[in-house]
């Protein structure tokens, strides 16, 4: 099963995910995110926009490759892959 890792600030909004290994069934990025949403309801509302695409400042990678399909999230997550979720920081 793939592992999902994320930046620590997301735990502030989703404490149910903190201090645990997050493993979900393999599939598309969309399927992986829906599985995380089952563990922490509202998670996808936070990182996806109203059309189901990644929000502008959210980045996702599968292993060492940035997700290419930001709109439908069709990139595949392999059985032993790691999905990293992080937000870009802006400001001066």
């Amino acid at each position: 099963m793939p592992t999902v890792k994320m930046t620590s600030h997301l735990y502030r909004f989703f404490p149910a995910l903190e201090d645990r290994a997050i493993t979900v069934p393999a599939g598309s990025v969309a399927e992986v995110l829906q599985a995380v949403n089952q563990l922490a309801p509202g998670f996808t509302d936070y990182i996806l926009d109203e059309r189901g695409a990644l929000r502008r400042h959210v980045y996702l990678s599968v292993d060492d490759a940035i997700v290419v399909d930001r709109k439908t999230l069709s990139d595949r997550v392999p059985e032993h892959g790691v999905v990293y979720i992080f937000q870009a920081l802006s400001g001066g």
Side-chain angles (χ1 to χ4, degrees):
M1 294 182 95
T3 302
V4 178
K5 297 184 178 193
M6 61 192 71
T7 53
S8 61
H9 82 281
L10 288 172
Y11 298 131
R12 184 174 82 194
F13 303 105
F14 304 100
L17 300 174
E18 193 169 16
D19 297 325
R20 67 182 287 186
I22 305 168
T23 57
V24 296
S28 68
V29 169
E31 292 167 331
V32 165
L33 293 178
Q34 287 302 322
V36 174
N37 195 65
Q38 293 296 312
L39 300 172
F43 184 77
T44 54
D45 294 335
Y46 188 79
I47 65 168
L48 303 178
D49 67 16
E50 62 280 352
R51 293 178 302 274
L54 282 177
R55 291 191 184 276
R56 184 171 154 207
H57 292 101
V58 175
Y59 287 88
L60 240 116
S61 70
V62 177
D63 295 326
D64 60 352
I66 295 290
V67 166
V68 174
D69 180 8
R70 294 181 55 84
K71 291 185 180 182
T72 64
L73 308 172
S74 65
D75 296 51
R76 302 302 297 173
V77 180
E79 186 63 36
H80 299 290
V82 180
V83 175
Y84 298 95
I85 304 168
F86 51 99
Q87 287 184 290
L89 298 177
S90 61

